[in-house]
Amino acid sequence: MTFSTAYLFTIGVRLTGGFTRAPEVPPEGLQSVGLSIIIGVAVLIVGAGIRRLTAAEMQSALLGAAAVLLATPVATAVLSNTWTFSTVVVSAFGFLTLGFGLLIALVRKAESNADE
């Protein structure tokens, strides 16, 4: 679920012209679509929080989101040789989700070692 959330967020940033050249869409329509996708992603995140994911599900979701949030903007920036502010912001979200995913993995490992 979070993997698809990160993917949709990345597509939303792409449609708003965040870290690549925006597709040929009128600016008003482009921003509306991008913002609606980003808002939809925020709703998915809140829904996931309400559902109370298990630690294993949360770890998997965060690490999957980190992979998308780190790979997509960096690959685009390297290919286009253009580093923008939004590339840094999306990559920062990737590092943040990677850190939380690794933290959950370490806590789960410590708990499993304590149980043995």
Side-chain angles (χ1 to χ4, degrees):
M1 183 170 149
T2 303
F3 183 80
S4 63
T5 301
Y7 182 75
L8 286 172
F9 183 82
T10 305
I11 295 298
V13 173
R14 162 76 169 93
L15 287 173
T16 58
F19 55 81
T20 61
R21 194 172 45 198
E24 298 292 328
V25 177
E28 300 83 23
L30 186 63
Q31 288 199 349
S32 297
V33 170
L35 290 174
S36 67
I37 290 174
I38 293 170
I39 290 169
V41 168
V43 170
L44 284 173
I45 292 169
V46 170
I50 292 171
R51 183 180 172 267
R52 307 252 185 220
L53 299 175
T54 66
E57 290 172 327
M58 185 64 77
Q59 175 188 337
S60 176
L62 287 170
L63 293 176
V68 172
L69 290 171
L70 287 171
T72 305
V74 172
T76 303
V78 168
L79 291 172
S80 68
N81 199 24
T82 305
W83 292 83
T84 62
F85 177 71
S86 59
T87 303
V88 174
V89 169
V90 174
S91 297
F93 281 125
F95 281 115
L96 186 66
T97 56
L98 177 64
F100 283 129
L102 292 175
L103 178 65
I104 291 173
L106 292 173
V107 169
R108 289 184 62 222
K109 182 173 173 92
E111 287 176 353
S112 69
N113 288 342
D115 289 341
E116 292 175 358

